[in-house]
Amino acid sequence: MALPMQADASQVAAYWTRLAYESIIRFTRDEQTRRGFTQPQFWILRHLSRHDLASDDGAGMTIPQLQQAMAEYLRPEDELASEAQVLLGRGWIHADHDGRLRLTDAGEAARRQMKQSAPEIRSLIHRGIDDADYIAALRVLHKLIANTTPVPKPGP
């Protein structure tokens, strides 16, 4: 989607950032699906991996703990329980008697393989965009966020 011919600084940033977010998420998820996994499956493996987001204690996580850990970026359609069932079926995770999920060696290998697709997907998303333009766009977004984030008032 191109900017309208009459694009100017009066364009509503919230409209375009929402469209960009939805388009990038859809594209990323489609590319991951094409490669044989879903974004939530990748996140589950990442949160269970000691080599990624998991703590070193190896205690594993339950579905509610995973949901809490991913609350900031889970989408309404993401069903972690069913995604975990797929991973269980592939032998990439296993469940303890208390419902804690843990990564298997095969799951760690799958996580590493999934991670290798990230640079290619990023390259597809960024094609035709100069790094300087991308950085400038990020600076603008950061400033928009700063300008619209309430500053806490000092206490009494």
Side-chain angles (χ1 to χ4, degrees), residues 40-62:
Q41 289 169 359
F42 182 45
W43 291 335
I44 290 170
L45 297 180
R46 291 193 68 199
H47 278 277
L48 297 177
S49 173
R50 291 181 184 168
H51 304 289
D52 204 332
L53 298 175
S55 64
D56 289 339
D57 66 4
M61 297 178 81
T62 63

Side-chain angles (χ1 to χ4, degrees), residues 40-41 43-45 47-50 54 57-67 70 79-89 92-104:
Q41 289 169 359
W43 291 335
I44 290 170
L45 297 180
H47 278 277
L48 297 177
S49 173
R50 291 181 184 168
D57 66 4
M61 297 178 81
T62 63
I63 294 296
Q65 289 171 325
L66 285 165
Q67 288 170 324
M70 299 178 205
E79 296 285 336
L80 289 188
S82 58
E83 298 287 0
Q85 286 300 315
V86 172
L87 297 176
L88 285 163
W92 293 353
I93 61 175
H94 67 88
D96 290 348
H97 65 281
D98 60 357
R100 289 190 171 280
L101 303 172
R102 289 188 173 77
L103 198 59
T104 64

Side-chain angles (χ1 to χ4, degrees), residues 1-121:
M1 172 184 282
L3 281 173
M5 294 298 289
Q6 301 298 323
D8 60 30
S10 69
Q11 295 286 312
V12 179
Y15 172 78
W16 291 106
T17 56
R18 181 182 57 81
L19 286 181
Y21 169 79
E22 292 297 333
S23 182
I24 293 166
I25 293 296
R26 183 177 46 256
F27 182 86
T28 300
R29 287 177 173 225
D30 288 349
E31 285 295 311
Q32 289 172 326
T33 299
R34 195 173 65 75
R35 289 165 168 79
F37 64 95
T38 66
Q39 195 168 53
Q41 289 169 359
F42 182 45
W43 291 335
I44 290 170
L45 297 180
R46 291 193 68 199
H47 278 277
L48 297 177
S49 173
R50 291 181 184 168
H51 304 289
D52 204 332
L53 298 175
S55 64
D56 289 339
D57 66 4
M61 297 178 81
T62 63
I63 294 296
Q65 289 171 325
L66 285 165
Q67 288 170 324
Q68 183 176 2
M70 299 178 205
E72 191 173 311
Y73 46 87
L74 278 177
R75 294 177 56 90
E77 67 269 21
D78 293 339
E79 296 285 336
L80 289 188
S82 58
E83 298 287 0
Q85 286 300 315
V86 172
L87 297 176
L88 285 163
R90 291 179 181 173
W92 293 353
I93 61 175
H94 67 88
D96 290 348
H97 65 281
D98 60 357
R100 289 190 171 280
L101 303 172
R102 289 188 173 77
L103 198 59
T104 64
D105 290 342
E108 180 58 31
R111 182 199 64 82
R112 285 193 308 269
Q113 185 174 355
M114 290 174 187
K115 187 176 179 179
Q116 289 176 353
S117 67
E120 183 181 350
I121 295 171

Side-chain angles (χ1 to χ4, degrees), residues 134-145:
Y134 181 72
I135 291 167
L138 290 180
R139 285 188 180 126
V140 169
L141 291 172
H142 285 221
K143 187 62 177 167
L144 289 171
I145 292 166

